[in-house]
Amino acid sequence: RLYTNPILERDGSYPIGVIIVLQDITHVRKLEKVRSEFVANVSHELKTPLTSIKGFIETLKEGAIRDEKIALRFIDIIDAEADRLVNLINETLFLSELESNKEEKAKEKIEIKSAIDEIIPLFKSKAESKGIIIEKSIKGDIGVIFGSKDRFKQMLINLVDNAVKYSNEGGKITIQGYLEESRKVIVVEDTGIGIPEEDLPRIFERFYRVDKARVRTGEGGTGLGLSIVKHIAMNFNADISVESKLGKGTKFIIRFP
Ligand code: ADP
């Protein structure tokens, strides 16, 4: 606010100057908005499995417990929903840790090739049960990068996990590593169900899921996997992009600086 009549000093004289401080708080407001939307989203996501757990417990108490077969089926559902809650909480905490960029310890030396070798066996049984092959192709001397090895592996794990989840029986997943000029590039590609073009710009948003009906029951994710991937890539100063064709497959490309 500018005063046309300057405020007089204590001794009645006019001030010798005025300092005007203008602060742009657009950014602060925006952050506040993002934060409160996040809290609203998390609360909503946590409520869904809890409502379902309460519902099944209520039905059991009202008599379903006397039919052992039905009771066991309900308990399995309650168990799965509780797992989902734990996943949601863990992933939300991990994401907020990534966002505040805390815990960035001394950078480790990460051998890209061996990190890829370490994560592939984690998907062996899940891929085999769907008849999916996972292949690795490293071209040239891709060497090392520096940062948190656990986070680097988590980024690949989330991408390969999605590739398996969103592939039909008999699909193929390829993990490539190569040099593009002096940049190290990692690609995770699948021959799965693909992502509709209109959803592509939003898939890295927290809790964004394309269509809950697209995967087998029991494979429902949290919608946080790709936000985590994006944040880890950002912490590595890497760019991530995606190409996808509905019904043909999806390709995630990470370019390190
Ligand atoms: P989710 O926990 O639902 O898998 P993500 O954040 O990992 O959440 O992914 C967001 C959405 O992007 C998913 O719901 C899915 O629809 C889509 N998606 C991610 N990866 C793939 C992929 N490889 N193929 C097809 N769709 C994918």
Side-chain angles (χ1 to χ4, degrees), residues 162 165-166 190 195 203 208-210 214 221-223 225-226 250:
N162 278 346
K165 202 156 71 178
Y166 301 108
D190 64 59
I195 302 169
I203 54 166
Y208 191 80
R209 310 197 56 211
V210 173
R214 300 198 312 158
T222 56
L226 285 180
T250 305

Side-chain angles (χ1 to χ4, degrees), residues 80-250:
E81 292 290 298
D83 283 345
R84 208 178 127 65
L85 268 179
V86 173
N87 266 344
L88 264 167
I89 293 168
N90 285 340
E91 290 191 348
T92 306
L93 288 176
F94 184 46
L95 196 58
S96 82
E97 185 187 300
L98 285 173
E99 282 181 344
S100 62
N101 208 5
K102 276 197 308 244
E103 216 219 24
E104 190 62 302
K105 293 170 256 155
K107 292 193 170 135
E108 301 165 76
K109 190 168 160 185
I110 308 163
E111 300 259 2
I112 296 179
K113 192 171 168 293
S114 66
I116 295 174
D117 285 337
E118 285 169 36
I119 65 124
I120 292 177
L122 305 177
F123 298 96
K124 192 169 182 282
S125 76
K126 205 169 162 195
E128 269 173 9
S129 74
K130 284 176 90 173
I132 292 170
I133 320 168
I134 303 181
E135 275 180 3
K136 183 192 75 178
S137 141
I138 306 285
K139 287 197 198 95
D141 180 20
I142 187 142
V144 298
I145 52 167
F146 293 87
S148 154
K149 186 171 181 189
D150 284 343
R151 287 182 183 178
F152 179 79
K153 280 164 73 176
Q154 189 64 54
M155 178 169 69
L156 294 180
I157 287 171
N158 288 9
L159 289 176
V160 178
D161 190 50
N162 278 346
V164 176
K165 202 156 71 178
Y166 301 108
S167 284
N168 294 319
E169 322 283 317
K172 185 172 150 192
I173 296 166
T174 324
I175 307 171
Q176 297 173 63
Y178 55 86
L179 286 169
E180 194 179 74
E181 286 156 26
S182 63
R183 299 187 81 175
K184 298 176 203 299
V185 182
I186 296 178
V187 174
V188 177
E189 189 172 7
D190 64 59
T191 55
I193 60 176
I195 302 169
E197 208 182 322
E198 66 267 25
D199 292 292
L200 277 179
R202 301 199 56 192
I203 54 166
F204 292 104
E205 288 174 23
R206 304 182 190 101
F207 300 117
Y208 191 80
R209 310 197 56 211
V210 173
D211 174 5
K212 290 173 187 157
R214 300 198 312 158
V215 279
R216 299 200 290 205
T217 40
E219 288 197 334
T222 56
L224 287 173
L226 285 180
S227 321
I228 290 176
V229 168
K230 176 146 198 188
H231 275 88
I232 297 178
M234 269 160 45
N235 288 0
F236 273 94
N237 292 319
D239 300 323
I240 180 157
S241 57
V242 56
E243 294 165 12
S244 189
K245 268 228 153 70
L246 206 54
K248 292 256 189 286
T250 305

